[in-house]
Amino acid sequence: MKVLNLQCAHGHGFEGWFASNEAFETQLAGGLVSCPICADTAITKLLAAPRLNLGSPKPPAETPSVPAAESSPEARWMRAVREVMAKTEDVGERFADEARKMHYGEAEERGIRGQASREEAQTLLDEGIAVFSLPIPPALKETLQ
Ligand SMILES: [Zn+2]
């Protein structure tokens, strides 16, 4: 199983789990890899190894009127994750079961989130079911309890 660091054109970072590098390339070419936050399909693979930043400097924040704390990368990431959480149903440890049911048309197609072990994720991948992993900020986890 390949866990790849991916990013959409809007700068949302997430992990995509794929059966192999080839599976990723094929799904990407077919427009099947989309950002779990904004559904953008312009996905780029980030290099896992650290690299020198030789690119052009980042453009200034798009909303300079917003207080610094609100426009920090962390704050924007929190908002994005909160949005995903609002749009998805938490199925907890039933994640693998529910994902499979939806894949086989036994349950309604919807956005779900939950926990899956690496083994469960691998099984889902083998069955052709896409799995994404989003790092949830600890602060957000607490507010949801
Ligand atoms: Zn995105």
Side-chain angles (χ1 to χ4, degrees), residues 21 31 39 51 59 65 68 85 99:
N21 233 336
R51 58 178 170 154
S65 60
M85 291 185 144

Side-chain angles (χ1 to χ4, degrees), residues 7-14 34-43 77 80:
Q7 194 177 57
C8 79
H10 299 103
H12 300 135
F14 60 97
S34 60
C35 172
I37 295 166
C38 68
D40 189 1
T41 53
I43 304 298
W77 179 244

Side-chain angles (χ1 to χ4, degrees), residues 76-109:
R76 271 183 283 155
W77 179 244
M78 292 263 284
R79 267 207 300 276
V81 172
R82 211 176 263 142
E83 225 173 278
V84 169
M85 291 185 144
K87 281 191 287 193
T88 55
E89 181 188 335
D90 187 3
V91 295
E93 288 172 6
R94 291 183 294 116
F95 179 81
D97 281 346
E98 288 296 321
R100 190 170 287 117
K101 276 190 204 159
M102 287 195 304
H103 185 70
Y104 293 109
E106 293 162 21
E108 193 192 334
E109 284 272 354

